[in-house]
Amino acid sequence: MKKLFTIIASFLFLSYFISADYSAPSPSQFKEGELLKYRVHYGFLNAGYATFTTNIVTYENTPHYHVVGKGYSTGAVKLFFKVEDVYETYIDKSTLLSSKFIRKIKEGSYVRDQTMFIDHTQKKISYTNNKSNTTKNYSYSGEMHDMLSAFYYLRNMNTDNYNTGDYINLNIFMDGETLNFKLKILEREVINSNFGKVKCLKIRPYVLAGRVFKEKESVTMWVTDDSNHVPIQIKAELAVGSLKADLSSYKNLQKPINFTK
């Protein structure tokens, strides 16, 4: 169960990689005080929760969305594997691009404390390891996101024209390198949730097999097929066991989700 919530956070945060259009979206699909909460299961165990909150702040004299994602273990899992993960991003309201990203992870003996600044004008990234107090600088081309800002940036994309079998690629920067994610639109379907039936986009990210996941096609996600693009359910087959996350509560969405009985 090592790095369990890194897996959870990664795929909740990356679950909106469903667009290849890099034109700036309209920053109107989420608002002040939005909350998404997920219950995480590891096999038959209630392993913990992941939450995402959004508030509006001023950063570098510019209005930003301050988004905080947290993952934490509970119950029996917490007794032998304590998890306290925090991800933060500051997203420019006018562009929906990240200005600053913070990653603090405590998973048993595994600890990470990192801060990243992105200069989208100069195409420069400053990446600091706060534990060792070392900083490295990088250059990039095209568009670049952190793993959490991409979540909110792509929520605003129009997915109406995507069809079954479409492949999408997107770049994010993490741990000193650019990560290339490839996703596939599987289908549109209605699934059962904690709140009723809901129309979803079923998508699959292609991931590295062997170290954590059983196969390249081990992760499947369902996000609402509407303008909210809220993840409803995530399933992953791990090298040992399986992982599932379900939306357990939410509030202050820009538009209501159409759940039916």
Side-chain angles (χ1 to χ4, degrees):
M1 294 182 65
K2 185 179 179 181
K3 302 183 183 179
L4 174 61
F5 277 87
T6 297
I7 300 167
I8 296 166
S10 296
F11 286 99
L12 284 173
F13 298 158
L14 299 177
S15 64
Y16 291 113
F17 288 177
I18 48 179
S19 175
D21 180 2
Y22 288 119
S23 59
S26 172
S28 61
Q29 297 305 329
F30 46 92
K31 62 181 182 180
E32 172 83 16
E34 182 187 89
L35 168 67
L36 302 175
K37 184 175 183 178
Y38 295 85
R39 182 181 179 187
V40 181
H41 308 265
Y42 182 76
F44 294 103
L45 294 175
N46 181 16
Y49 291 90
T51 63
F52 303 84
T53 59
T54 302
N55 290 290
I56 299 173
V57 300
T58 299
Y59 175 75
E60 297 291 336
N61 299 315
T62 305
H64 279 65
Y65 292 107
H66 180 212
V67 180
V68 179
K70 296 181 179 180
Y72 53 94
S73 55
T74 59
V77 172
K78 185 177 181 179
L79 293 177
F80 63 87
F81 191 77
K82 186 176 180 180
V83 171
E84 294 179 347
D85 289 355
V86 179
Y87 296 77
E88 297 182 57
T89 187
Y90 291 81
I91 305 170
D92 191 315
K93 284 189 66 177
S94 64
T95 64
L96 290 189
L97 295 175
S98 171
S99 300
K100 179 181 179 180
F101 176 65
I102 300 169
R103 182 182 181 218
K104 294 183 178 181
I105 295 175
K106 295 180 181 179
E107 301 175 359
S109 60
Y110 180 78
V111 179
R112 290 290 184 273
D113 186 352
Q114 301 160 329
T115 303
M116 178 172 69
F117 298 91
I118 305 178
D119 185 335
H120 297 280
T121 301
Q122 300 296 323
K123 302 289 186 180
K124 302 290 185 181
I125 293 173
S126 173
Y127 204 93
T128 299
N129 181 332
N130 296 311
K131 288 188 64 181
S132 61
N133 196 27
T134 57
T135 299
K136 293 183 178 181
N137 297 308
Y138 304 86
S139 299
Y140 68 93
S141 59
E143 292 286 354
M144 188 65 69
H145 302 275
D146 68 55
M147 61 186 297
L148 185 51
S149 69
F151 169 38
Y152 287 84
Y153 183 91
L154 295 178
R155 283 182 66 177
N156 291 271
M157 294 297 184
N158 187 336
T159 59
D160 292 345
N161 294 324
Y162 285 93
N163 300 309
T164 296
D166 285 347
Y167 286 91
I168 295 96
N169 296 278
L170 186 67
N171 294 330
I172 68 168
F173 198 85
M174 183 176 176
D175 287 335
E177 62 179 325
T178 298
L179 303 180
N180 306 115
F181 283 85
K182 180 180 179 182
L183 292 99
K184 182 179 181 179
I185 303 297
L186 299 180
E187 61 180 323
R188 285 177 161 85
E189 68 174 351
V190 176
I191 69 168
N192 291 313
S193 74
N194 294 324
F195 309 95
K197 296 180 180 179
V198 60
K199 293 181 180 179
C200 286
L201 275 171
K202 183 179 180 181
I203 61 177
R204 174 163 292 153
Y206 283 79
V207 297
L208 293 175
R211 294 181 62 186
V212 177
F213 299 97
K214 291 178 63 176
E215 302 292 343
K216 287 177 66 177
E217 298 186 359
S218 294
V219 180
T220 307
M221 308 176 188
W222 290 260
V223 301
T224 57
D225 192 8
D226 59 14
S227 60
N228 290 301
H229 291 134
V230 169
I232 296 295
Q233 188 177 100
I234 301 171
K235 293 182 179 179
E237 295 298 324
L238 309 181
V240 178
S242 61
L243 182 73
K244 180 182 178 184
D246 294 285
L247 183 68
S248 61
S249 64
Y250 65 94
K251 67 178 182 179
N252 292 334
L253 295 181
Q254 184 73 1
K255 297 179 181 178
I257 300 175
N258 185 25
F259 292 108
T260 60
K261 295 184 178 181

